[in-house]
Amino acid sequence: MRILAIESSCDETAAAVIEDGRKIVSSVVATQVEEHKLYGGVVPEIASRRHCEAINGVVKEALAQAEIGLSQLDALAVTYAPGLIGALLVGVNFAKGLSLASGLPLIPVHHLRGHIAANYLAHEQLKPPFLCLVVSGGHSHIVEVKDYTDMRVIGKTRDDAAGEAFDKAARTMGMPYPGGIHLDKAAQSGNPDAFALPTPKVSGNPYDYSFSGLKTAVINLIHNAGQKGTELSVNDLSASFRRVVVESLLKNFTAAAKEYGYDKLVLAGGVSANSLLRQRTQEVCDRNGWQCYYPPLALCGDNAAMIGAQAYYEYLAGHTADAHLNAAATMDIATLA
Ligand code: KG4
Ligand code: ZN
C-alpha cells in the first residue's frame, strides 16, 4: 500500500511516499529554520505563510522523486494535531482538497504517533508492545505502545518539554535557534560535573517530568555571572545541563519499564537526536538485557515519512477522515480527543 503523507505542524513543510508503513519511497523536507532563527524561535504567522508557499512544490517533488502520479497511490495522510493551528491547517486543507479531487481516502495522523513510527522505518523487526520516550520541542511523554494504534501515557511533563528547556538554556548561552543541537555539541567538550544544577522533582505521579526549574536555574546562573562580570564556560554549563536533563528523563523511563514489565525501550522525537540520551539509553538497556531502539538522526526531527509510516497502521485500524476533518492545536496521543 502506497501512501502520500503531508506534515506541516511546525516549521517544516514535508511530504513523503511510504510503502506498507515501512519503506521510504521518497521524502522531502523544506525547513523554515533560517527565517525563524532571526527571531530566536518559531513565529506562527510566518510559519503558516511559508507552508502555504511551499506545500505545492514539496508535494510535487515527493511524487517526482517517487516517480509516481496520484493514480498510483492508495491513500493520503496528513498531520492534523497537535501543533501550531495555522500551520496544521495548511496541510490539512491541502490534503482534503487532494483527497476530494483524487477520490483517495484520507488518513489523519497524530504528530507524536508519527514520531514513534519513525522507528518502524529504520527497524524492520520492531513491533509493539514497547515503552516509548517521546521527547520533542513541545512534549515529553512516557508512552506505553501496546499496539500500533493503542497507546497509554504513563508520565508527561508538568511544564516545559525537554526540547523547550534545551532551546531556552541554549538561547541564554547565545546559541542560535533551535539550540538543542548546538548545546549537545558544546556539551561534548565540557565537564558534566562542573555545575551543581537542581535535579528536577515532582510530587504525585512518579513518572511525570518537570524541566522549568532546571531551565530557570541555568538562566539565573548566566544572568548572575553576567552582572558580576564572571566568565562561565559554555561547554561546562552545556554538559552539566545535558547530564541533568538526560538523567531525569532516564530515571522515570527506566523505572516505568521495570514497573510495567517492558523489555523493549524506544526513543522518539527531536530530542532523541541527543547524543548523550542515545548513549545512556543504550547503556541502561544493555545493563538490563533490554532491546533498545532510536531513529536514525535524519528521522528524529519533523518529516512526513514518519507520518506515512503511522498512517499505514491507522488505515489498517479503520481510522480515516472525510471533508469534515479539522486541525487541532492539542490532542491526547491515546484518546485522540
Ligand atoms: O520533534 P521535533 O523536531 O519538533 C517538535 O515536534 O517539537 O523536536 C524539536 C526539538 C527542538 O527543541 C530541538 O532543539 C530538539 O528537538 N533537538 C535536540 C537535539 N536535536 C534536536 N535537543 C537536544 N539535543 C539534540 N541533539
Ligand atoms: Zn515533531
Side-chain angles (χ1 to χ4, degrees):
M1 178 178 191
R2 277 201 203 120
I3 297 174
L4 168 67
I6 295 170
E7 152 68 39
S8 71
S9 67
C10 190
D11 56 351
E12 259 93 32
T13 320
V17 176
I18 301 300
E19 214 166 85
D20 295 335
R22 295 279 175 167
K23 184 174 168 237
I24 302 176
V25 183
S26 70
S27 177
V28 178
V29 180
T31 182
Q32 311 169 356
V33 78
E34 285 307 317
E35 192 166 0
H36 296 294
K37 232 178 219 174
L38 299 172
Y39 307 97
V42 177
V43 182
E45 175 62 21
I46 293 178
S48 311
R49 285 168 188 261
R50 295 297 165 261
H51 285 307
C52 288
E53 289 161 9
I55 196 157
N56 200 28
V58 166
V59 168
K60 275 191 174 156
E61 182 60 23
L63 289 173
Q65 284 185 14
E67 296 180 353
I68 57 169
L70 280 177
S71 60
Q72 289 147 288
L73 292 169
D74 300 293
L76 302 168
V78 67
T79 306
Y80 75 117
L84 299 171
I85 192 66
L88 287 163
L89 278 168
V90 176
V92 166
N93 283 310
F94 191 92
K96 285 203 292 191
L98 210 53
S99 171
L100 277 172
S102 63
L104 289 166
L106 179 60
I107 310 162
V109 177
H110 188 286
H111 183 76
L112 297 183
R113 288 189 176 199
H115 272 301
I116 296 171
N119 284 283
Y120 304 143
L121 295 166
H123 311 294
E124 63 181 81
Q125 72 283 21
L126 176 63
K127 290 185 176 72
F130 54 79
L131 193 68
C132 189
L133 179 66
V134 188
V135 270
S136 69
H139 299 83
S140 304
H141 281 12
I142 298 176
V143 182
E144 268 192 283
V145 182
K146 298 179 193 182
D147 206 341
Y148 291 102
T149 59
D150 180 8
M151 305 181 192
R152 189 169 81 97
V153 178
I154 55 182
K156 60 180 172 188
T157 186
R158 302 265 179 93
D159 39 57
D160 291 6
E164 201 176 342
F166 268 116
D167 291 345
K168 286 183 181 157
R171 186 163 74 179
T172 318
M173 290 184 224
M175 296 170 189
Y177 171 85
I181 188 169
H182 302 287
L183 192 151
D184 191 13
K185 277 204 188 106
Q188 323 270 3
S189 38
N191 171 8
D193 300 312
F195 293 91
L197 296 169
T199 311
K201 278 198 187 80
V202 292
S203 54
N205 183 353
Y207 305 115
D208 276 355
Y209 291 114
S210 165
F211 293 108
S212 75
L214 175 62
K215 174 200 72 184
T216 308
V218 169
I219 294 173
N220 287 345
L221 219 133
I222 297 168
H223 286 162
N224 289 344
Q227 278 164 359
K228 288 185 199 144
T230 334
E231 278 279 321
L232 284 184
S233 158
V234 165
N235 291 354
D236 286 352
L237 192 54
S238 296
S240 304
F241 180 79
R242 184 179 70 162
R243 179 180 65 80
V244 180
V245 173
V246 167
E247 282 173 1
S248 168
L249 286 171
L250 277 178
K251 184 169 166 272
N252 296 6
F253 192 32
T254 312
K258 288 184 177 157
E259 166 77 22
Y260 292 94
Y262 282 93
D263 60 2
K264 219 187 278 182
L265 268 57
V266 177
L267 298 178
V271 182
S272 65
N274 188 269
S275 53
L276 187 70
L277 180 62
R278 292 160 87 91
Q279 180 200 322
R280 288 284 177 86
T281 309
Q282 185 70 60
E283 285 166 11
V284 164
C285 288
D286 291 348
R287 257 201 316 278
N288 288 282
W290 298 337
Q291 293 175 50
C292 180
Y293 298 93
Y294 38 78
L297 289 177
L299 292 176
C300 288
D302 289 347
N303 62 85
M306 67 187 198
I307 302 303
Q310 181 61 21
Y312 174 71
Y313 296 102
E314 299 290 349
Y315 183 81
L316 295 183
H319 301 160
T320 54
D322 58 20
H324 294 100
L325 177 68
N326 203 354
T330 57
M331 171 88 52
D332 192 300
I333 191 175
T335 57
L336 300 185

